[in-house]
C-alpha cells in the first residue's frame, strides 16, 4: 500500500515559503534602515571653528565627556536605527542577549561594526555614513540573491511534487484492482505503466542532482550554491535531500509492484 511518500517534500516546501517570507521581511527592514540613515546629517571630522574659538577664549568651556557624547551622537543614532529595524530579523528567536555590536558585525562586517562602536569615540563623518549605507546596499543585494534562490527552490519542489503526486495517485488507483482480477494484457500494461513511473522518478532524481550541483547566478557578486542552500534549509529536517529521498521511496514502491506483476505474468504464460 502506498503512503504519503512525498510528505517530506511538502514539509520542505512549507519551510522554504516561511524562509522566503523571513528574507523579504529582513530586506524591508534593511531598506528602512538605509533610508533613515541617508537622512542623518554627517558630522565634520573636526569640531566647528566657531566652537573652537569660543572655547579658546574661555567663553564656552565644554567637558571632555560632553564633547565625546556630542561627537558620538550620530553613531549612536545609527545603532538605535539598526536596533529598531534590522536586529529583530537578525537575532535568532529574538535573543536579546547577543550584543548589538555582534549583530551589526554579522550583518555589515567588522569594519562597519568598528566604525559604529560606542567605545571608539569617533564622529559620524561622511565617510562613516557612506560605509554604513554601502553595507546596507550590499546586504540588500545579498538578500535579493537569497530570495531568488528560494524562489528557484520553491519551483523545483513544486515540480517534484507534481511528479511524485502523479505517481502516488496512480498507484492508489491501481491498487483498487487486485492483480488476480487482471488479464494478461492488462497485467502487461500495468507493468509498462509502472516502468513509466520509475523512469519519471529516475528523471526527477537526475534533475534534482543537477540542480544541487549548480548555483544561482544573478550578478558577479551574488551567487548561491544550491547544495549549501539545501543543507542550510533542511539541516533540522529528517533529510537534507527530501526530493531525492521521496523519489527513491516511490521508485522502490513501483519496483515492488513490478515484481508482483511479473510473478502474475509468469504464472499465466
Amino acid at each position: 500500500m502506498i503512503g504519503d511518500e512525498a510528505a517530506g517534500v511538502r514539509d520542505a516546501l512549507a519551510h522554504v515559503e516561511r524562509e522566503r517570507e523571513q528574507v523579504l521581511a529582513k530586506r524591508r527592514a534593511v531598506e528602512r534602515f538605509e533610508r533613515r540613515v541617508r537622512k542623518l546629517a554627517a558630522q565634520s571630522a573636526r569640531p566647528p571653528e566657531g566652537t573652537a574659538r569660543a572655547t579658546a577664549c574661555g567663553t564656552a568651556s565644554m567637558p571632555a565627556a560632553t564633547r565625546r557624547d556630542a561627537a558620538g551622537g550620530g553613531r549612536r543614532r545609527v545603532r538605535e536605527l539598526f536596533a529598531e529595524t534590522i536586529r529583530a530579523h537578525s537575532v535568532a528567536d529574538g535573543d536579546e542577549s547577543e550584543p548589538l555590536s555582534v549583530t551589526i558585525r554579522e550583518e555589515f562586517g567588522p569594519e562597519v561594526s568598528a566604525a559604529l562602536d560606542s567605545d571608539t569615540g569617533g564622529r559620524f563623518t561622511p565617510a562613516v555614513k557612506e560605509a554604513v549605507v554601502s553595507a546596507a546596499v550590499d546586504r540588500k543585494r545579498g538578500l535579493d540573491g537569497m530570495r531568488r534562490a528560494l524562489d528557484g527552490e520553491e519551483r523545483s519542489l513544486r515540480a517534484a511534487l507534481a511528479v511524485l503526486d502523479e505517481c502516488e495517485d496512480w498507484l492508489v488507483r491501481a491498487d483498487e484492482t487486485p492483480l488476480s482480477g487482471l488479464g494478461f494484457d492488462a497485467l502487461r500494461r500495468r507493468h509498462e505503466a509502472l516502468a513509466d513511473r520509475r523512469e519519471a522518478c529516475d528523471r526527477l532524481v537526475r534533475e534534482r542532482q543537477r540542480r544541487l550541483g549548480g548555483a544561482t547566478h544573478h550578478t558577479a557578486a551574488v551567487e548561491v550554491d544550491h547544495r549549501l542552500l539545501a543543507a542550510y534549509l533542511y539541516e533540522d529536517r529528517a533529510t537534507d535531500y527530501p526530493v531525492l529521498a521521496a523519489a527513491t521511496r516511490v521508485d522502490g514502491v513501483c519496483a515492488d509492484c513490478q515484481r508482483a506483476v511479473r510473478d502474475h505474468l509468469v504464472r499465466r504464460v
Side-chain angles (χ1 to χ4, degrees), residues 79-80 82-83 87 98-105 113:
R79 293 196 301 273
E80 290 172 353
F82 184 94
R87 181 178 173 83
E98 180 176 284
L100 185 61
S101 60
V102 173
T103 311
I104 294 174
R105 184 173 66 244
S113 177

Side-chain angles (χ1 to χ4, degrees), residues 162-234:
V163 173
L164 295 169
D165 283 346
E166 192 282 330
C167 290
E168 292 188 6
D169 289 346
W170 184 91
L171 286 166
V172 169
R173 292 194 304 272
D175 195 51
E176 294 174 355
T177 303
L179 297 180
S180 59
L182 298 176
F184 185 88
D185 288 341
L187 286 170
R188 182 174 52 79
R189 287 193 297 272
R190 179 170 292 193
H191 192 276
E192 292 173 352
L194 286 164
D196 290 342
R197 270 71 192 180
R198 294 193 68 188
E199 173 56 31
C201 288
D202 184 61
R203 188 164 54 248
L204 176 57
V205 168
R206 293 196 304 270
E207 291 172 355
R208 184 63 178 174
Q209 288 177 329
R210 189 180 307 117
R211 174 175 175 78
L212 290 173
T216 300
H217 298 272
H218 294 286
T219 70
V222 179
E223 177 180 310
V224 178
D225 183 284
H226 293 155
R227 194 174 297 277
L228 294 179
L229 175 65
Y232 161 74
L233 288 172
Y234 311 128

Side-chain angles (χ1 to χ4, degrees), residues 30-161:
V30 175
E31 175 70 32
R32 289 195 302 273
F33 171 81
E34 179 200 349
R35 187 169 58 247
R36 294 167 73 177
V37 169
R38 286 184 184 276
K39 293 179 180 179
L40 294 179
Q43 301 166 309
S44 170
R46 292 171 143 187
E49 292 183 5
T51 302
R53 284 197 300 271
T55 302
C57 295
T59 58
S61 177
M62 182 182 294
T66 304
R67 290 198 300 273
R68 286 196 298 271
D69 286 346
R75 292 180 299 107
R76 182 169 57 251
R77 182 55 186 150
V78 173
R79 293 196 301 273
E80 290 172 353
L81 290 176
F82 184 94
E84 293 168 6
T85 56
I86 300 174
R87 181 178 173 83
H89 301 279
S90 180
V91 180
D93 300 323
D95 181 12
E96 295 295 331
S97 64
E98 180 176 284
L100 185 61
S101 60
V102 173
T103 311
I104 294 174
R105 184 173 66 244
E106 290 295 320
E107 293 294 336
F108 292 157
E111 292 183 0
V112 171
S113 177
L116 296 175
D117 195 318
S118 59
D119 295 329
T120 60
R123 305 176 71 84
F124 184 59
T125 63
V128 172
K129 178 178 178 178
E130 177 57 30
V132 174
V133 170
S134 178
V137 170
D138 287 345
R139 194 70 188 95
K140 287 194 304 180
R141 189 178 297 117
L143 290 167
D144 287 340
M146 183 64 167
R147 189 262 304 163
R148 286 188 288 262
L150 290 169
D151 287 345
E153 178 69 359
E154 180 188 8
R155 289 192 296 271
S156 177
L157 293 175
R158 289 191 183 281
L161 271 176

